Amino acid sequence: MAQQNDQFKKVIAHCKEYGFVFQSSEIYDGLSAAYDYGPYGVELKNNIKQYWWKSMVQMHENIVGIDAAIFMHPKTWKASGHVDAFNDPLIDNKDSKKRYRADQLIEGYVEKLEAKIKKEVTKAKKRFGDSFDEEKYMLESPRVLKYKEQIEDIMARFTKAMGDGDMAELKAIIVDLDIADPDTGSRNWTDVRQFNLMFSTQLGNIAGEEGKLYLRPETAQGIFVNFLNVQKSTRQKIPFGIAQIGKAFRNEIVARQFIFRMREFEQMEMQFFVRPGEEMKWYKYWKEARLKWHKALGTPEEKLRFHDHDNLAHYANAAVDIEFEFPFGFKELEGIHSRTDFDLSSHQELSGKKLQYFDAELNKNYVPYVVETSIGCDRMFLAVLSNALQEETVPDAKGKESTRTVLKLHPAIAPVKCAVLPLLKNKEELTTKARAVFDTLKYSFNCQYDEKDAIGRRYRRQDAIGTPYCVTIDFDTLEDDTVTIRERDSLKQIRVPVSEVEAIVREGVDMKSLF
Ligand code: ATP
């Protein structure tokens, strides 16, 4: 755990030092759960978005994109269920004045029991050595069985209470389990109550409730209300999808894990409209397709897993998360939800406008069912960065061992694709040639020209921001028009004619390799 926290601290410090992510309004001591993306951060985030957009929209003939407004008619959120049901159970500690999510306190308690089981297994493994049979031990060890039974009891009570919206029962669980404020140890709790996560604001020209607007808590509704506009204007036939990337806002009760949980964040969502009854087929399809998308970036298989929802949202008949092993444990990165016809039917009912599709093959009208894939862009950024940030021992220029910090990002999403470096800063013939090389490459890729400091330090700087290629211009370049290309991961250096650099970099960073 301590090691995990160390890695998380390193990720946060790296983000700040190298211009990936800054705390919002830092000079005023920051605004909690709001972050700004710096010069390399914005490039990386844009590349992640481009990878998603290409694979979801441009690579599918039957998926199209939109960019809907953040503000929507307030009835949207009534129909979607967000006004009545987009709540988290809130509990305050009367002594520390800190606020918590009651569900997270209970889940935290269960996680501790799970950790105890793991510890028992590790101890037993040591004790029994090669003859250890983990499966048998899990079925027979009295301690493990006791913990498992406790977990099952708690989860049964908890799932029911969440399903029933029974706040008194959630409080009772916290009291029965003797759960204390994680920061202060106090058990002096208020009752649990529902807290709506939507931010509201006011239209300028209408006073009171009538003019109340919400900042969208998900991008999906902009897609649903445009369903017929898009279908008719693009003449799509079911099954087809509508995708969107955009900001969403949630007044999270607890938001403490850097860009994992923010109050303003960005989502990449796709709603896939299908025939009623065919939703489970497409749910399976998108589960696999989305996992493949993550793996293509080089994310190790053991850091990704599916987690089926115990508590289904008000709109879903099946839901699964793709979880990633962040430095603070496995957490949701993306959700895949079978949303039934809940949203379109509710909008149809409240607006009084038909939101139906005429299926010529079946010769009938129906409200389509929907399978959604929804991923947080910021969470994806954090996943990618925490997986890529590594420290390695490598030989330095003189062959001695030294440590380097390197971001092993997939080249296709690296913020800078290629750095152009004159060997020496004060030799005009080198800098002039290097500038000329830079000028030919800048049209094709995000490149960087850097002449400050010794060449070894410049390589290290590029490693730290994940640049896959460094092109060095030296005195031989002036003689034979060749340069050295250094590859970030293998550290291999090859000598090539200047005229070949663009093709080599292009091949290495092409997004095609991801599909
Ligand atoms: P969580 O359980 O972590 O609160 P959720 O189940 O409410 O997430 P969804 O409503 O399914 O999340 O949203 C889809 C995706 O949007 C999530 O998988 C996540 O990547 C992202 N997301 C949701 N809330 C936040 C947030 N506060 N900050 C950053 N990303 C978020």
Side-chain angles (χ1 to χ4, degrees), residues 464-483:
I465 61 167
T467 307
Y469 298 104
C470 287
V471 174
T472 306
I473 281 76
D474 56 21
F475 290 104
D476 287 344
T477 313
L478 306 176
E479 302 288 316
D480 59 8
D481 217 31
T482 63
V483 291

Side-chain angles (χ1 to χ4, degrees), residues 101 250 252 259-262 265 267 269 332-335 337 374-376 378-379:
R101 270 173 61 179
R250 294 182 188 179
E252 299 280 359
I259 56 172
F260 179 81
R261 190 173 298 285
M262 298 152 94
F265 58 101
Q267 289 186 313
E269 296 198 300
E332 172 178 346
L333 172 59
E334 169 158 10
H337 311 125
S374 172
I375 175 168
D378 313 272
R379 270 191 205 177

Side-chain angles (χ1 to χ4, degrees), residues 177-232:
L177 297 177
D178 208 23
I179 297 177
D181 179 334
D183 282 351
T184 64
S186 159
R187 289 174 173 78
N188 193 7
W189 297 111
T190 62
D191 286 340
V192 180
R193 59 197 185 284
Q194 297 280 24
F195 178 81
N196 193 285
L197 297 185
M198 281 197 294
F199 281 101
S200 63
T201 184
Q202 194 68 32
L203 267 179
N205 57 351
I206 306 173
E209 249 334 90
E210 289 285 286
K212 191 171 176 183
L213 282 188
Y214 295 102
L215 299 188
R216 66 180 176 198
E218 63 175 25
T219 59
Q221 298 305 323
I223 293 177
F224 291 126
V225 299
N226 275 302
F227 163 69
L228 272 191
N229 282 338
V230 174
Q231 192 270 323
K232 286 192 170 144

Side-chain angles (χ1 to χ4, degrees), residues 418 420-421 429-430 432-441 444-445 471-485 494-506:
C418 171
V420 181
L421 316 169
E429 58 277 38
L430 291 181
T432 307
K433 179 69 184 169
R435 284 251 174 234
V437 172
F438 173 78
D439 282 342
T440 60
L441 296 175
S444 308
F445 322 105
V471 174
T472 306
I473 281 76
D474 56 21
F475 290 104
D476 287 344
T477 313
L478 306 176
E479 302 288 316
D480 59 8
D481 217 31
T482 63
V483 291
T484 302
I485 299 187
I494 51 167
R495 194 85 202 169
V496 298
V498 168
S499 57
E500 287 175 19
V501 173
E502 185 179 342
I504 292 170
V505 176
R506 187 182 295 284

